[in-house]
Each structure stands twice: as structure tokens, then as C-alpha cells.
Amino acid sequence: GYEFYYPLKSDCEREKSQKKALLLTHQLSRSGAPLALYLVGEYLQKEGWQVIFLSPEDGVLKEDLRKQGFPVILCGKYWNRKIPFQHFGQLFDIVVVNTLLHFPAVMLLEERKCKVVWWIHEMDDFFELGKDDLPLIADLKENVQVLAAGGFVQNCIEKYLKSKVPVLNVGVEEIHIKRVEPVLKKRFHFACVGIIAGYKGQYVLL
């Protein structure tokens, strides 16, 4: 079933808004794609939208979202509950589907003519893994808009899904910290924020 988590703060004026957005993330870690979607949610929130996050998996980002005033729904394998999920999607003016992994949501929602934005973040390896199942963009209905999270992803989409799509970049706020002298001299320290994986090119630091 669905588990609903109320926000830890609320805005009565925004809750009266007629504009409603559902943001669907593949999980709630503090990794790249979920954090990027969080920033999209913040932007929509500032523009007066009611925003709800939905995820099949729990994670540490859930409490960050609730503190920011977002309701969060954990939905498990929503694709096994086709009709309830489709009806739920129809309650929103827009549904933002994050990452390739959620292509089943895109397919389910396009049937009901929900306004869907499919924001893709993945690199080649993920397209290769799903190439037998992923839909070509030309076969999607007009209510689905596909966006790429950067130029490299845009090229992957053109290669595998056979269409060139617009890029939606999300900037991360700059945080300046005071430089401190390292405890150990003549040694470099690297911080990897997010997931360590071969496709991210972190091997160049070795």
C-alpha cells in the first residue's frame, strides 16, 4: 500500500493553491538525481505550487523533504497497482518522473493523458541495460515531455531513444568553507559526494 508522511511545516496559502505537482523519485538517498529533483521541488514550491514527493523506497532524504514542507508518499511497487496509480496521477497538473528507472510510470500515466515530464539522468550503461524495454520518444504521446539532465545525457537519449530533447540543468547553491591546513602534509584528500561508480570517471583521481 501507500504510506503517507506529513510535512513538518506547512504553508496555508500554498495549500490552497490550485496548482499541484507530483514528483516521482526512484529512491530517497542524498545522491545526485534525488537531490536534483529536490531542487525542482523547491523551485515549484516558491512559485506557489503544492508539491508531493513519491518514492518506492525510503531513505534519509525523506526527513529533509518533510522539514522543507513537502509531503512524502512511499508506494512500493506502484507499477503492480496500475489503476490506483493512474487515478492518483490524474489528481495533479503535472507529474515529474525522475530517471530512466521509472519508465513504467511514464507508460502508465501517458495512457490517462496526464501531463508528464520525464527527466532522464543516466549514462550509456543504463540505456544498454534497458534498451529492449525502453520506449522510443517518437512513440510517446503528446502529453509526455522528455528532458535531459545535461549534454552528455542528451547525446545518450539521441543515441538510444532516437530523438534530441531539451536539456534541463539544475544548479546547486555554492557553499564556501574556510580553508584549514591538513593534518598530514604532502597528501591529497578527495571527497566524493554521492555514489562511487566507474561511469562517473572517479578513477582519474587514482
Side-chain angles (χ1 to χ4, degrees):
Y2 288 69
E3 299 176 29
F4 190 89
Y5 294 86
Y6 289 94
L8 300 178
K9 67 176 185 179
S10 60
D11 183 326
C12 294
E13 289 303 313
R14 187 167 55 246
E15 288 170 3
K16 296 176 185 176
S17 172
Q18 299 300 307
K19 299 184 295 183
K20 299 178 178 64
L22 178 65
L23 274 55
L24 179 53
T25 178
H26 67 300
Q27 36 111 320
L28 291 169
S29 68
R30 292 195 185 106
S31 56
L35 284 175
L37 192 65
Y38 182 5
L39 294 173
V40 170
E42 282 189 324
Y43 172 79
L44 291 172
Q45 192 181 61
K46 289 173 184 174
E47 292 295 310
W49 285 68
Q50 288 187 46
V51 179
I52 294 178
F53 278 78
L54 186 145
S55 173
E57 295 182 20
D58 202 351
V60 293
L61 191 62
K62 180 179 73 182
E63 293 310 308
D64 296 340
L65 292 168
R66 296 178 67 208
K67 288 174 185 174
Q68 188 59 32
F70 298 114
V72 179
I73 298 173
L74 299 181
C75 59
K77 295 181 178 179
Y78 61 84
W79 50 87
N80 290 336
R81 295 184 291 276
K82 175 180 176 179
I83 301 303
F85 179 73
Q86 287 177 322
H87 284 314
F88 184 63
Q90 287 182 293
L91 300 175
F92 296 87
D93 299 286
I94 189 169
V95 181
V96 181
V97 179
N98 215 28
T99 75
L100 274 180
L101 295 173
H102 276 312
F103 79 88
V106 176
M107 307 306 291
L108 290 174
L109 293 171
E110 76 160 353
E111 290 181 14
R112 295 301 181 95
K113 302 194 183 303
C114 302
K115 171 64 178 174
V116 177
V117 174
W118 188 15
W119 193 21
I120 298 175
H121 297 252
E122 287 87 347
M123 309 301 178
D124 294 77
D125 291 351
F126 293 91
F127 286 89
E128 282 288 346
L129 287 170
K131 64 183 179 183
D132 294 330
D133 300 309
L134 293 169
L136 296 179
I137 290 173
D139 295 334
L140 296 173
K141 295 178 181 175
E142 292 182 355
N143 55 304
V144 178
Q145 180 182 12
V146 181
L147 299 174
F152 186 85
V153 181
Q154 183 186 48
N155 292 336
C156 290
I157 293 171
E158 187 171 11
K159 177 181 176 182
Y160 291 95
L161 305 187
K162 309 304 181 186
S163 293
K164 189 158 189 174
V165 302
V167 170
L168 174 63
N169 285 316
V170 173
V172 178
E173 181 183 358
E174 274 193 56
I175 300 173
H176 297 278
I177 60 173
K178 184 179 178 181
R179 183 182 175 188
V180 296
E181 290 299 320
V183 176
L184 299 172
K185 305 292 185 181
K186 297 182 181 179
R187 184 174 292 188
F188 289 100
H189 299 263
F190 297 102
C192 290
V193 182
I195 296 170
I196 297 175
Y199 65 87
K200 291 182 177 287
Q202 292 146 330
Y203 56 85
V204 300
L205 302 176
L206 298 176

